[in-house]
Amino acid sequence: MTTSTNGTDTPPQDRGVLSASQSSSPPTVHRTLSISEQASAASSRRIAPPFFLKWIEYPFRIKNPNTQAYLEEATGQAMDYCGRGPINQAGSFVGSAILKLAAMEAGGMNNTVHGMKVSSLLTIGNLIAGITAGVTMPLVGALVDHTDHRKAMGALSAFVIISASGCQLILSADTWFVVYVLGIILVYFFIMHQVCVMAYLPDLTHDTTEMGHYTAMFMARQYFVQALYTTVIVAVTFSVKLTDIQTAKLGIGMSFALGLILFSYSWLFLFRKRPKLREVPAGQNLVTTGFRQLWTTAKVVFSQYHALKWFMIALLFSPEAGAGTILAIAVTFLTLFVKMTVSEITLVSLALLFANIPGALLSRYMCKLINPLNSFRAAEILFAVSNALLALTVTGPEKKNLVFIYAILIGVAFGWMFPSQRTTVVALVPKGQETEIMGLVSFFGQILGWLPSFFFTIMNEKGVNMRWGVCMVSFFLLASCLCTLMCGSFEAATEKVAHTSDLYLEQFARRSVKQDSFLDDGRSSSVLKDSTASANGSVQNGVPKDEQDVEEDVA
């Protein structure tokens, strides 16, 4: 045993949590444990990974930049991101194969099949999933807020994603429409799952620098795994000369296997239960409560939080859904206008993905240098300009080599944009209302997220050149950037919500003690006492520490 500066014994396995320079006696500071740190420290460990599986999580562990500790839910977030990445990437292979199979059945790309123009299939599917998600996300938010089932919903949505992805292996000339419908289901639950994961994000830390570090490293790992996944597909495709359908099936099979392993491990062993934030009001049910809470929360945000209000308005035009909308447009454009094969699209994806990694690392640096909000604006401008140049200069199949240059620029912008956006949202949200406001943020991101697909589809149906449909993405990005200019000072906005942090942690602690499903009664008092104790070097004894000191740099 060693003794910490606050007089408590520290077991050997927790020594790594404390500052490495105890002997220099740094000044004592006070640091309150985050919600995730409390949840991990208080877990009963009834479901723990067997020792022979523990190695799976090592590449996904991320150190807190201040405490130098590993946090289980941060590892879970990284694994979840990396599970989603290849599944999302597989959509480009499947989408391109579906377009070609549908064209064969319809007798041409400009003909109709199942009442839809072949060239509009992907964007219409994305449109259906996006509108459905926008309408139903308030119910998802109500389930997260008013029940103890946040973890169960995350696990359930992950299960549906994996199941729908695996079933797409039936892809053939006879089953392409079934796979198309499965893709719509997959996109919807992908969005739902993202809402559940986002609800855990603010619990990791209330420090903006730490949050910027976490989000950047999550995205960097996701892009690295996607890039390795795509590299394998490229290598196999060019060495064995696979057909488009075989390439799509290879992509589906690999993404299914990766997703099954990473989702299962993270949601079974790493994410923790949460007590419900509030009861369903008398005379209401979960459905009505979700929409009423959305309206109530929106009124509070729009009346009291100026910066957050304008940032959410900006999200109306930003591709908050991830790559779904842009992916559908890009695959359609590259397949039908640029005349790329699935193998060539795979190479484009590879260039974009490897560019995502420096983009995510750039986000971490720029969030510190110019603050997360300005970092987000800069990334949107780079994305919009690169996309516009792509549409204006790639005038046909003879210019397809230019696509690779723009893929690198867009990859950097995409990797830069999303960590900055996540960090900005968490910094602007008043503490204690993260879950409900994250639901509102997701709603704003989805309610008009289908518009680029809608305009692209309408223009395509009217025979307008696809290049102008691609240009629409830049218009939405620039509109989003202009809206963020109304947010005002980022520093003033974060100061306005800073005082809510301590109060929320106290309220969470009281709720947690009452929830047998969350805290073990025998440990609750000591854990909550640790959560407010003073610590040496800004680090708490209660911060969970993994058994091995695994370096975070996997790339």
Side-chain angles (χ1 to χ4, degrees):
M1 291 284 187
T2 60
T3 303
S4 67
T5 57
N6 61 4
T8 58
D9 288 334
T10 306
Q13 65 268 26
D14 288 334
R15 292 173 191 167
V17 182
L18 301 178
S19 173
S21 57
Q22 284 187 357
S23 59
S24 61
S25 299
T28 300
V29 296
H30 292 270
R31 179 182 184 273
T32 305
L33 291 181
S34 70
I35 301 302
S36 291
E37 288 168 339
Q38 290 187 49
S40 293
S43 173
S44 66
R45 297 298 194 277
R46 285 189 294 269
I47 301 178
F51 71 92
F52 57 84
L53 287 181
K54 197 73 173 175
W55 61 270
I56 294 175
E57 67 183 72
Y58 292 163
F60 305 97
R61 291 176 176 174
I62 299 171
K63 284 182 180 179
N64 182 297
N66 292 326
T67 68
Q68 298 301 303
Y70 297 110
L71 184 59
E72 288 176 325
E73 286 187 350
T75 304
Q77 288 263 2
M79 295 182 78
D80 188 272
Y81 271 71
C82 293
R84 280 182 279 157
I87 293 175
N88 187 56
Q89 187 64 36
S92 63
F93 311 139
V94 176
S96 184
I98 284 176
L99 287 177
K100 293 181 178 180
L101 290 172
M104 289 172 57
E105 182 175 317
M109 287 290 184
N110 294 319
N111 296 333
T112 60
V113 60
H114 297 285
M116 297 174 284
K117 195 173 181 179
V118 171
S119 55
S120 299
L121 277 173
L122 298 187
T123 51
I124 288 175
N126 186 264
L127 196 63
I128 294 170
I131 293 175
T132 306
V135 172
T136 58
M137 281 309 108
L139 175 59
V140 175
L143 288 168
V144 170
D145 278 359
H146 295 84
T147 71
D148 300 324
H149 305 318
R150 183 191 301 187
K151 178 178 178 179
M153 290 179 61
L156 176 63
S157 55
F159 173 77
V160 176
I161 291 171
I162 290 298
S163 299
S165 175
C167 289
Q168 288 185 321
L169 284 168
I170 66 172
L171 178 66
S172 69
D174 297 323
T175 61
W176 70 263
F177 189 73
V178 175
V179 173
Y180 174 74
V181 174
L182 286 170
I184 296 175
I185 295 171
L186 192 153
V187 170
Y188 173 80
F189 279 93
F190 210 89
I191 296 169
M192 174 181 169
H193 184 73
Q194 182 171 283
V195 171
C196 296
V197 177
M198 281 283 285
Y200 278 93
L201 185 62
D203 290 354
L204 296 179
T205 178
H206 288 160
D207 182 274
T208 303
T209 302
E210 292 179 2
M211 184 59 68
H213 171 79
Y214 277 132
T215 54
M217 297 311 296
F218 293 156
M219 301 301 285
R221 277 165 170 73
Q222 175 185 331
Y223 298 143
F224 182 72
V225 170
Q226 275 185 258
L228 287 179
Y229 158 84
T230 308
T231 300
V232 172
I233 293 176
V234 169
V236 173
T237 300
F238 281 92
S239 60
V240 185
K241 302 296 182 183
L242 299 179
T243 65
D244 287 351
I245 295 178
Q246 290 172 331
T247 300
K249 287 188 174 184
L250 174 63
I252 294 168
M254 287 180 58
S255 65
F256 169 77
L258 285 170
L260 181 63
I261 293 170
L262 296 178
F263 281 158
S264 298
Y265 192 99
S266 58
W267 287 97
L268 189 61
F269 302 128
L270 299 177
F271 284 103
R272 302 299 174 195
K273 292 182 179 179
R274 292 291 192 272
K276 57 187 173 184
L277 295 178
R278 58 184 64 85
E279 299 290 340
V280 176
Q284 297 184 27
N285 54 48
L286 281 173
V287 176
T288 59
T289 296
F291 286 95
R292 288 190 181 187
Q293 187 62 44
L294 184 73
W295 173 247
T296 301
T297 303
K299 288 195 297 183
V300 171
V301 168
F302 273 64
S303 63
Q304 298 181 21
Y305 301 101
H306 176 83
L308 182 59
K309 172 185 72 175
W310 278 104
F311 193 76
M312 289 198 303
I313 292 173
L315 292 182
L316 290 172
F317 307 100
S318 176
E320 163 61 17
T325 298
I326 295 175
L327 182 65
I329 293 173
V331 170
T332 301
F333 177 73
L334 296 179
T335 302
L336 304 184
F337 185 81
V338 188
K339 306 296 183 183
M340 283 187 161
T341 64
V342 172
S343 297
E344 289 174 323
I345 292 175
T346 303
L347 287 175
V348 172
S349 299
L350 193 60
L352 186 144
L353 288 168
F354 275 113
N356 283 162
I357 299 172
L361 298 178
L362 178 63
S363 171
R364 182 174 61 171
Y365 173 75
M366 295 300 287
C367 282
K368 291 181 181 179
L369 182 66
I370 59 175
N371 79 46
L373 181 57
N374 285 330
S375 177
F376 176 69
R377 290 167 179 156
E380 282 195 308
I381 291 173
L382 176 60
F383 198 159
V385 171
S386 301
N387 181 77
L389 289 173
L390 168 68
L392 293 174
T393 60
V394 179
T395 55
E398 68 280 1
K399 296 291 185 69
K400 66 172 60 178
N401 288 338
L402 290 175
V403 173
F404 294 94
I405 298 174
Y406 295 123
I408 293 172
L409 292 174
I410 291 173
V412 171
F414 204 82
W416 178 4
M417 185 173 69
F418 280 97
S420 300
Q421 184 236 66
R422 299 288 190 267
T423 305
T424 303
V425 169
V426 173
L428 297 180
V429 170
K431 308 305 178 283
Q433 302 175 56
E434 290 101 333
T435 303
E436 60 190 83
I437 292 181
M438 281 299 178
L440 184 65
V441 168
S442 297
F443 178 77
F444 268 69
Q446 297 300 331
I447 194 63
L448 294 182
W450 47 269
L451 273 180
S453 293
F454 175 75
F455 283 117
F456 183 90
T457 302
I458 293 298
M459 294 169 73
N460 183 60
E461 293 289 330
K462 296 296 183 180
V464 178
N465 193 302
M466 281 189 185
R467 294 163 60 203
W468 301 113
V470 173
C471 269
M472 290 298 300
V473 174
S474 294
F475 169 80
F476 281 97
L477 287 164
L478 290 176
S480 173
C481 185
L482 289 174
C483 288
T484 65
L485 297 178
M486 301 298 295
C487 291
S489 169
F490 176 78
E491 290 73 19
T494 53
E495 287 177 6
K496 185 172 183 178
V497 300
H499 71 282
T500 61
S501 180
D502 291 340
L503 177 61
Y504 175 45
L505 288 168
E506 292 174 7
Q507 293 172 342
F508 175 84
R510 287 196 295 270
R511 287 194 306 270
S512 299
V513 172
K514 298 177 182 178
Q515 300 286 335
D516 291 337
S517 62
F518 177 67
L519 284 178
D520 179 12
D521 290 338
R523 304 182 62 201
S524 59
S525 60
S526 62
V527 170
L528 298 179
K529 180 179 178 181
D530 285 342
S531 72
T532 55
S534 62
N536 183 59
S538 302
V539 187
Q540 292 287 340
N541 292 341
V543 181
K545 176 68 176 178
D546 290 321
E547 291 82 357
Q548 297 186 23
D549 184 25
V550 183
E551 292 298 326
E552 72 177 30
D553 294 324
V554 294

